[in-house]
Amino acid sequence: MSLEASILNKSLKSEIPLHLMILPGFIIIFIYSYVPMVGIVMAFQNYIPVKGILGSDWVGLDNFKYIISLPDTLQVLWNTVYIAILKIIMGLIAPICTALLLNEVRKQLFKRAIQTVVYLPHFLSWVILGGILIDLLSPSQGLVNQFLMFLGFEPVFFLGDNKWFPYTLMISDTWKEFGFSMIIYLAAISGINPSLYEAAVIDGANHWRRAWHITLPGMRPIIVLLVTLSLGSVLNAGFEQVFILYSPQVYESGDIIDTMVYRIGLINSQYSIATAVGLFKSVVSLILVGTSYWLAYRLANYRIF
């Protein structure tokens, strides 16, 4: 055996434990993500559970034509994109501003306490937070409306008014998730050269000047990266949150693709129609994710391989 073959053989043997470590995860993903993709064929069938996939009649693109003909399809698509974009925008602004403010805090105990408080909601399920929000935002007994009435305002039905519901989703989602993103931005700030701040102080720059001319430019690569990667989630407006908080009163402004699939597929038992909607969303999401990674590579030199 040649020297090169011997080195290659030793390298392959040393990598076997690493491959064995990822094998359980690969098996789980294969079983629960790839095997169910066989059911995609239902989107092109008039699926009847008794007959199964092999016995159901093929209808071609009729299910997709039916979806397009539905009067609510465009409204649902608009709601999904609108709510997702609201969440993406606020999900960028809130953690960046909070990270900039916390970066100016010099008492480490206070700084860590704030980080823990804003990070904690990330670990709570929407089932728990949904119940809390329903109580807080109740138009009659909710603490928020009690405070508004104390200030002389009329109570607002945040979860039952089409005008307020998308913004309620945006604010509550930001409150839950911005602490996680804030940690990423704080990590980016910690990588900035401290000598830049020292030179700025000598030049007489105040806190806001240092943040604007040093901290934000230093965060720019990670900001560009997260903005571009977030493009892939434009059609993911958050099923769990919307499903728990919405009601028929706010279908006009809060019904999204995922909740539409849930109602069509599981409530109305129209499995082929629901599969067609899900397939449409998956194809568009795949294009958006591919585009976002391409932009991340071009703008932030980010590569997954």
Side-chain angles (χ1 to χ4, degrees):
M1 182 181 294
S2 64
L3 180 60
E4 292 182 359
S6 177
I7 294 174
L8 179 61
N9 188 36
K10 183 183 292 186
S11 176
L12 292 175
K13 287 182 179 180
S14 65
E15 292 176 357
I16 289 177
L18 300 177
H19 288 85
L20 291 176
M21 287 176 62
I22 68 172
L23 183 60
F26 174 79
I27 293 174
I28 291 173
I29 291 176
F30 178 78
I31 293 174
Y32 292 102
S33 296
Y34 285 93
V35 173
M37 290 179 68
V38 176
I40 289 176
V41 299
M42 288 192 298
F44 307 96
Q45 293 178 324
N46 179 22
Y47 178 73
I48 299 175
V50 177
K51 296 182 178 180
I53 293 177
L54 298 179
S56 298
D57 297 329
W58 290 86
V59 295
L61 299 177
D62 288 352
N63 291 325
F64 295 92
K65 295 176 182 177
Y66 175 76
I67 294 168
I68 296 174
S69 67
L70 291 176
D72 297 333
T73 300
L74 291 179
Q75 183 64 43
V76 169
L77 184 60
W78 164 252
N79 292 341
T80 304
V81 174
Y82 182 62
I83 293 172
I85 290 177
L86 286 178
K87 290 182 177 181
I88 290 172
I89 293 174
M90 284 303 298
L92 291 169
I93 295 176
I96 290 174
C97 293
T98 309
L100 290 174
L101 293 174
L102 277 181
N103 185 55
E104 301 298 329
V105 176
R106 293 294 170 256
K107 296 192 182 218
Q108 291 299 317
L109 183 61
F110 178 74
K111 184 176 182 179
R112 290 174 182 174
I114 295 298
Q115 289 180 13
T116 302
V117 170
V118 300
Y119 192 44
L120 182 61
H122 172 75
F123 297 99
L124 298 179
S125 168
W126 271 115
V127 176
I128 298 173
L129 292 180
I132 295 174
L133 288 172
I134 290 172
D135 289 336
L136 286 176
L137 302 177
S138 171
S140 57
Q141 302 294 330
L143 185 62
V144 175
N145 276 304
Q146 291 290 332
F147 180 69
L148 291 176
M149 287 187 288
F150 174 77
L151 296 178
F153 296 99
E154 292 292 328
V156 178
F157 198 179
F158 292 98
L159 299 179
D161 190 333
N162 284 298
K163 181 176 67 175
W164 288 99
F165 188 70
Y167 304 105
T168 303
L169 294 176
M170 173 193 68
I171 294 172
S172 58
D173 181 77
T174 302
W175 167 62
K176 182 179 185 298
E177 300 294 345
F178 86 98
F180 180 80
S181 300
M182 182 195 66
I183 301 298
I184 300 176
Y185 292 117
L186 285 174
I189 292 174
S190 65
I192 299 175
N193 191 347
S195 62
L196 297 175
Y197 292 103
E198 296 172 1
V201 170
I202 294 174
D203 290 340
N206 57 24
H207 291 284
W208 296 109
R209 289 289 183 180
R210 294 199 294 270
W212 182 259
H213 293 287
I214 299 175
T215 309
L216 275 177
M219 296 169 61
R220 183 171 58 188
I222 192 67
I223 292 175
V224 173
L225 173 61
L226 293 181
V227 168
T228 52
L229 293 182
S230 65
L231 295 177
S233 60
V234 167
L235 291 185
N236 293 318
F239 168 75
E240 188 178 1
Q241 179 197 18
V242 177
F243 179 71
I244 291 172
L245 296 179
Y246 87 148
S247 64
Q249 293 174 283
V250 290
Y251 278 178
E252 182 182 345
S253 64
D255 195 18
I256 60 175
I257 292 177
D258 291 329
T259 54
M260 181 183 182
V261 170
Y262 168 80
R263 288 200 315 278
I264 293 176
L266 296 182
I267 303 300
N268 299 331
S269 300
Q270 294 178 310
Y271 304 110
S272 295
I273 304 299
T275 304
V277 177
L279 179 59
F280 167 76
K281 177 192 170 184
S282 298
V283 171
V284 175
S285 296
L286 176 63
I287 296 172
L288 291 174
V289 169
T291 303
S292 66
Y293 276 106
W294 180 78
L295 290 174
Y297 170 70
R298 294 298 299 269
L299 300 177
N301 198 28
Y302 173 81
R303 300 181 66 177
I304 56 176
F305 299 110

